[in-house]
Amino acid sequence: MYRFQKKSAVMGGFLTLLIMAVTLLSPWTSVATLEVKAASYDMATDFHCQPAWDVLDIVNQQRGANGLSPVQMDASLMATAKVRAEEIVQKFSHTRPDGSSCFSAFPSNQGYVGENIAAGQKDAKEVMNAWMNSQGHRENILNSSFTAIGIYMVTVPGSYYGTYWVQCFGDDPENPILCGGAPATPVCAGDGSIPMYRLYNPNSGEHFYTANYGETVSVCAAGWNYEGIAWYAPASGDPVYRLYNPNAGDHHYTMNAAEKDHLVSVGWNYEGVSWYSGGSTPLFRAYNPNAVAGAHHYTTNAAEISNICSVGWNNEGIGWYGIR
């Protein structure tokens, strides 16, 4: 199913057109069953849904083949697509479970918007084939007025269709993001402090921290997920050393020069001073005795440390300090 809505500059309101199409998507007769079963589903999902980026690649291939400019993944629209993907598990419709229009979930800055939904397709290629072979969905994908998009796929084991897909289109790429969720431009603190990017490897379980925006983009392109700014470091202060284990593929960060030297002596590579410690915000450090990669975790969130320590991690205290 697809739907689009255009803000009318003359009337100052919204003109809405809803078109039902025969597609490879789920039948309307299944909605009641979905609504009844939804309450028991585990809706835990990964915000940085890799299939979304696979869909975006195909969307822009199709737009390019038709002489159109690419659409940019937008963080706000991606968040909307996540919300809508979880909602269509409960009710496969452009009407939300609370009875409101799907467009009530869209960011207010988007003036010209559209939505494509699908269910049951196993991967990006299959869902894009379904959408491109349906006139209404194809028109949304190839609409020259759309410049921004948010995409999400959720897998819900035991649900009616198993997989659910959403495309949210808009005309204002206000919060552009790159593959893996990396910001499209470097984050600027505005006060001279250094933003520390936090990334996650869904395959190894390792968290990675860096002040280098270019490194953030390249690591995300390699399959890591961007998780935002972990903390803000001072521009100078006590050095925090970065090391890399070429056998496990793991990074370690420490202010302890003796610890650094010991790790180098047993085969780790020293990669220099990664950032500085200073300020009053503690960075807590925890260790997973069962992990090979990602054995250490660092966060300003005491509750996060408490949570992972409750499931077997060792609390190692404060690793260093940040501005905030």
Side-chain angles (χ1 to χ4, degrees), residues 170-321:
D171 59 1
D172 184 2
E174 184 178 59
N175 299 294
I177 53 176
L178 304 177
C179 185
T185 57
V187 175
C188 179
D191 61 359
S193 61
I194 310 298
M196 301 301 308
Y197 303 97
R198 170 171 153 169
L199 304 104
Y200 175 70
N201 187 329
N203 299 309
S204 69
E206 180 189 1
H207 281 92
F208 179 64
Y209 311 84
T210 179
N212 189 315
Y213 169 73
E215 187 173 39
T216 298
V217 172
S218 63
V219 169
C220 283
W224 292 60
N225 295 334
Y226 176 65
E227 294 189 325
I229 302 302
W231 76 94
Y232 288 84
S236 61
D238 298 318
V240 178
Y241 309 111
R242 171 171 144 179
L243 302 104
Y244 175 71
N245 186 335
N247 299 310
D250 194 19
H251 283 89
H252 183 63
Y253 316 90
T254 180
M255 289 181 64
N256 190 321
E259 183 179 28
K260 168 182 69 74
D261 293 341
H262 169 70
L263 290 175
V264 170
S265 72
V266 295
W268 289 64
N269 298 334
Y270 175 55
E271 296 188 331
V273 174
S274 193
W275 54 80
Y276 295 97
S277 173
S280 58
T281 299
L283 266 295
F284 304 105
R285 168 174 153 172
Y287 173 69
N288 185 344
N290 301 310
V292 175
H296 282 90
H297 184 60
Y298 313 86
T299 179
T300 60
N301 190 328
E304 186 176 17
I305 287 292
S306 177
N307 181 59
I308 62 176
C309 287
S310 72
V311 293
W313 290 63
N314 298 332
N315 190 335
E316 295 189 326
I318 296 172
W320 58 84
Y321 287 87

Side-chain angles (χ1 to χ4, degrees), residues 15-37:
L15 299 178
T16 304
L17 176 62
L18 174 62
I19 305 174
M20 299 297 297
V22 178
T23 69
L24 302 179
L25 310 176
S26 67
W28 281 91
T29 53
S30 303
V31 168
T33 303
L34 288 170
E35 291 176 330
V36 170
K37 296 176 65 177

Side-chain angles (χ1 to χ4, degrees), residues 32-69:
T33 303
L34 288 170
E35 291 176 330
V36 170
K37 296 176 65 177
S40 64
Y41 296 154
D42 178 6
M43 296 304 296
T45 58
D46 174 12
F47 180 78
H48 303 293
C49 187
Q50 182 57 44
W53 300 95
D54 297 336
V55 168
L56 180 64
D57 286 343
I58 303 174
V59 165
N60 284 331
Q61 289 170 21
Q62 293 290 345
R63 290 176 67 89
N66 286 273
L68 299 172
S69 299

